[in-house]
Every structure is written in C-alpha cells, then in structure tokens.
Amino acid sequence: MAAQPEPSLILSFEEARHVVEAHAARLRPCGKELADLLEATGQVLAEPIVADRNFPPFPRAARDGYALRAADLAKLPATLEVVAEIKAGVAPELAIKLGRGQAAAIMTGAPAPSGADAVVMVEYTSRNGNQVEITKGVSAGDNIVPAGSEAKRGERLLSPGTRLDYAAVAVAASVGRTHLLVYSKPQIAVLSTGDEVVDIDVPPGPNQIRNSNSYSLAAQIKAAGGEPVLLPIAPDEPTRLRELIVDGFESDLLLLAGGVSMGKYDLVEQVLADFQAQFFFTGAQIQPGRPIVFGRVPCGAGASRETPVSPENYKYFFGLPGNPVSTMVTFDLFVRPLIDALSGLSPQKLIFLSAKLKSEIKTKTGLKRFLPAILSGEFEDAEVELARWQGSGDIAATARANCYIVIPPDRERIAAGEWVPVLMR
Ligand code: AMP
Ligand code: MG
C-alpha cells in the first residue's frame, strides 16, 4: 500500500523552501580542482582571490584632458603652461612634477604627475602652443583615481563560494590568475519512473510516452552547475525501483521523477521508506508540483543496514512529480539550493521580479501557483501574461513561455495592469 503522508508533512511553499535551505546550509561541496581561468567560468571559486598590488597601482587619470592644480583655476578662464604630455603606459617615475600655473596633457589610464590634484576634461580646454586656456573649474580629486583606492595590496577581492561570472573572471584576470581552485561539480542522479515511460531512442507504443523528464532535469542540472547522471527508467515495480534507487544513491543527490502521487502504483515513497528514509515534506501547497517529496537516507542504507552513521552522513533525495511542467518547476523552486550547496556556492535566496500583468487572471484560491507565462515589452515596460496551456503535462506551452507568474494562494482575480511577481527561468 502506498505510504499515506501525514497532513503535517504538506507545507506551505515558503515553509518547504526554508526546510530545503536549512538542510542545504549543512552540506559541503565534494572536492576541489584546479581549472584554467576560461574553463572556470560558471564554476564556484574554492579559494580567496587577493589583490597582488594596489588598485589602481598609481594615481590614474580617468579622463583625457589636462592634469593640474585645482587651486590654479580659482579665476576663469585660466591660462596654464603645458609642460608635458603623459600617455597611458608611461612609467610613473617618468611623469614630471607640476609646479604652480603648470599643466600636463594627459590621457585616460595614464599616471597623474605629482603636484597635480585634478584632471580637467579636454572638452573644457583650448590649446595654443604651450599654453592651454581652461574654461571650467574642478575640485581637488576630480578625475583622478587615487592609488590603492579600489583595493589595497593583500585585500580580499573574491571569497570562496562565489560563482565565477564575467565580473569575477575579470577580477581573477586583473590579479594575474591564469588558474583557479574551483569546487568539483556534484553528481546528480536522475531516475524517471513509470511503466508508460520509454527511452527516446525507441518508437513509443500507442499507450506509451517518451521520457522527457530525464532530459529536462539533465538540462536544469547542467545549468545549475551539476553533472547529471541519467539512470535507466524505473518501472512501477518495487524490486527494480529499489535496485535503481541504490544506484542513484551513489551520486551526491538523487532526483526521482514520477510515482509520488496518491495512485496505487505510485511506489516511490514506499520504497524509499525501506531505506530508512526521513521525509521532511511529502507535499507543498503549490501548483504545479503539489506532491513534491524531500528527504534523506543514512549513507549505506540499503547496502548494510547495520552500519552506524554519523548525523551528517546522509544522502538527500527529491521525489519530483512526474508531470513534466511540475518536474521543471519543482526543480527551480526546491532542488537548486541543494545543488548550489554541493557545488560550494554560498546560499542564494529565491527572488521573484515584478512585471505588469497584460490580461486578467482568474484562478482558484488555496495553492501558490507558478504558471507558465510570457514576458514581453521592452526596457522599463515589461509586461507579462499567462501562456495558454492544458495543465502541467503541457511541455509545448512551457517551451513557448519564458517565465512563470507567481500567484499568491489567496488571490482569485488579478486585474490587468497590476504588478505581479515573476519567476524567471
Ligand atoms: P506521475 O507523477 O508518475 O503520476 O506521472 C504524472 C504524469 O507525468 C503522467 O501523465 C506521466 O505519464 C507523466 N510522466 C511521468 N514521467 C514522465 C517522464 N519521465 N517524461 C514525461 N512524462 C512523464
Ligand atoms: Mg507514474
């Protein structure tokens, strides 16, 4: 008989998300490896990156113009004597020392000469031989970035746990790091279940459907920084399901898809219970995705039941509902924090953006809904509307969508023009 979930194990969306985040906070990444800077892009940094020199290393001109003493421009227009031209790349010690009434033509990125405390933009000057007339005043410090003002030598610029996006890659490059220590990608096992589900390389019978969930999950795992491990499809039969679950627990995290609803052949929870599983929730008040299951088993469970385990020594699993859109949505809502933690990423909160609703929504109350939607418009005028869909099996509608509208459980009608939360994908 299928396990009957206790009512208390059906949580609100927010409670369920917080439970996952709390467990994720205790997980550690699996290992570290050295990666070439470009290959490391998208991975998670496993070491601190420190400034190897002052940034900038010299007082840097931020504009093309004339380096001068701001006090010399008390009366405007002012005429100064041009005593040097300093281009980017000259050694700072070659830059001259400016005296009173003197200026140096200077280029962006060049070291400001000693004695100068500001740069006037070339747009406010007119040059005549070795004289320059200046028509606009400046304050001391204008257009010169002081040495070490962005970072001091030895200062930490990036911390372990940072995703190496293009800005982080720029930081690593700026301190001369050709190779970086990154966390190894976690292995995430994917086990699709269902007697009707067949591999995509065989012609499906009239009552069979192709396995799309293993592939959508693999794509989501890759995008989240994990390494998908696809297991064979499990039938709705406990012995083979159990064998494949054992294989799945070889990975760092196991995602099962399908078989978690209340049907007679939804066996996933029942079989996991044989692995001494602890269930943290067996449902969330959401749609799609209500039957989602989250839990863990002691490491070694299923192999040798007698092996004692330490409290941290667990393998986590999710039982995701098999309806393809439910599988996709529940991954984004709940699975990501665990993959992030196993990848070494510092904890990330789930954030919804807002957009103006294009056409009215009518819905039932009681569940928080994440409905496939199309975000359009341009620049500041984003607008969003629901994609037409036939329910949580409608893969094609979801592929036409580019986000989900988030509908709070207490709203029956949302008028066009209201701002609504949007989950980007
Ligand atoms: P279940 O969660 O097992 O009750 O399945 C719910 C629905 O999703 C059923 O219509 C299944 O046929 C479908 N489904 C289950 N697994 C998959 C899969 N791997 N790929 C595509 N559809 C699936
Ligand atoms: Mg099924």
Side-chain angles (χ1 to χ4, degrees):
M1 203 188 75
Q4 296 294 311
E6 292 172 37
S8 62
L9 288 181
I10 313 274
L11 305 183
S12 72
F13 162 68
E14 290 78 5
E15 286 167 341
R17 170 76 191 193
H18 287 152
V19 165
V20 172
E21 288 178 358
H23 285 278
R26 290 182 223 149
L27 287 177
R28 294 292 163 257
C30 321
K32 299 173 187 180
E33 55 200 59
L34 202 60
D36 172 277
L37 179 58
L38 281 182
E39 274 166 26
T41 307
Q43 285 195 253
V44 180
L45 189 64
E47 58 168 334
I49 298 296
V50 296
D52 63 331
R53 62 208 294 232
N54 285 337
F55 282 77
F58 48 79
R60 182 179 63 208
R63 292 281 188 274
D64 295 318
Y66 289 87
L68 44 71
R69 299 161 180 264
D72 286 347
L73 305 184
K75 267 193 173 164
L76 291 172
T79 300
L80 304 180
E81 181 198 0
V82 181
V83 294
E85 181 184 277
I86 308 169
K87 58 185 181 109
V90 299
E93 59 272 18
L94 296 183
I96 46 85
K97 181 167 169 51
L98 282 191
R100 269 212 192 148
Q102 293 185 327
I106 196 162
M107 319 302 149
T108 302
S114 62
D117 60 11
V119 168
V120 150
M121 287 164 69
V122 71
E123 288 86 334
Y124 304 115
T125 68
S126 65
R127 178 83 173 260
N128 185 5
N130 68 347
Q131 305 244 295
V132 61
E133 188 187 71
I134 298 181
T135 54
K136 192 166 189 250
V138 281
S139 304
D142 281 2
N143 300 323
I144 294 180
V145 185
S149 62
E150 294 166 354
K152 294 267 184 299
R153 179 191 160 92
E155 197 176 316
R156 181 184 285 208
L157 304 179
L158 296 174
S159 294
T162 305
R163 174 94 64 203
L164 288 159
D165 66 2
Y166 58 83
V169 165
V171 170
S174 74
V175 300
R177 295 297 304 269
T178 58
H179 290 79
L180 298 173
L181 209 51
V182 296
Y183 290 114
S184 311
K185 293 183 178 182
Q187 299 219 316
I188 316 295
V190 175
L191 178 52
S192 282
T193 73
D195 282 343
E196 78 284 25
V197 182
V198 292
D199 272 326
I200 61 172
D201 54 356
V202 298
N207 42 10
Q208 294 180 317
I209 54 139
R210 293 196 180 95
N211 175 15
S212 62
N213 284 343
S214 291
Y215 295 90
S216 60
L217 284 172
Q220 287 180 293
I221 290 165
K222 281 188 175 189
E227 200 90 70
V229 178
L230 300 198
L231 296 167
I233 297 161
D236 294 319
E237 182 274 305
T239 308
R240 180 68 181 140
L241 179 58
R242 190 172 293 119
E243 283 172 8
L244 288 168
I245 288 177
V246 170
D247 293 346
F249 282 131
E250 296 287 315
S251 291
D252 301 308
L253 172 67
L254 169 60
L255 306 183
L256 297 113
V260 289
S261 306
M262 297 297 285
K264 186 175 170 195
Y265 297 100
D266 289 324
L267 303 171
V268 164
E269 280 166 70
Q270 188 189 320
V271 171
L272 282 166
D274 294 345
F275 288 81
Q276 301 164 273
Q278 223 181 331
F279 294 95
F280 301 115
F281 53 84
T282 52
Q285 286 155 1
I286 56 169
Q287 195 259 328
R290 191 168 190 275
I292 177 153
V293 172
F294 173 53
R296 67 183 180 191
V297 299
C299 283
S304 155
R305 301 272 170 87
E306 313 313 324
T307 320
V309 288
S310 76
E312 287 76 35
N313 214 357
Y314 291 101
K315 281 283 169 75
Y316 283 84
F317 62 80
F318 283 94
L320 306 178
N323 256 317
V325 185
S326 312
T327 312
M328 296 173 197
V329 169
T330 49
F331 180 98
D332 276 346
L333 296 179
F334 300 111
V335 179
R336 260 176 178 283
L338 256 69
I339 298 186
D340 286 350
L342 291 166
S343 311
L345 189 70
S346 50
Q348 311 286 307
K349 290 292 180 193
L350 188 63
I351 296 171
F352 304 137
L353 306 180
S354 293
K356 221 174 231 181
L357 190 61
K358 206 169 165 183
S359 37
E360 182 192 56
I361 296 177
K362 283 185 176 149
T363 180
K364 292 193 199 111
T365 57
L367 299 174
K368 190 154 190 153
R369 288 172 208 271
F370 298 87
L371 303 182
I374 297 164
L375 186 67
S376 59
E378 196 185 23
F379 304 134
E380 291 84 357
D381 298 316
E383 36 178 30
V384 68
E385 65 183 329
L386 290 180
R388 271 173 216 271
W389 76 327
Q390 300 301 319
S392 44
D394 195 341
I395 313 174
T398 307
R400 287 190 295 270
N402 55 12
C403 65
Y404 301 94
I405 292 180
V406 184
I407 305 175
D410 57 346
R411 294 298 301 270
E412 262 186 312
R413 177 181 169 274
I414 306 178
E418 273 192 57
W419 288 85
V420 290
V422 168
L423 171 67
M424 293 309 297
R425 74 160 213 244

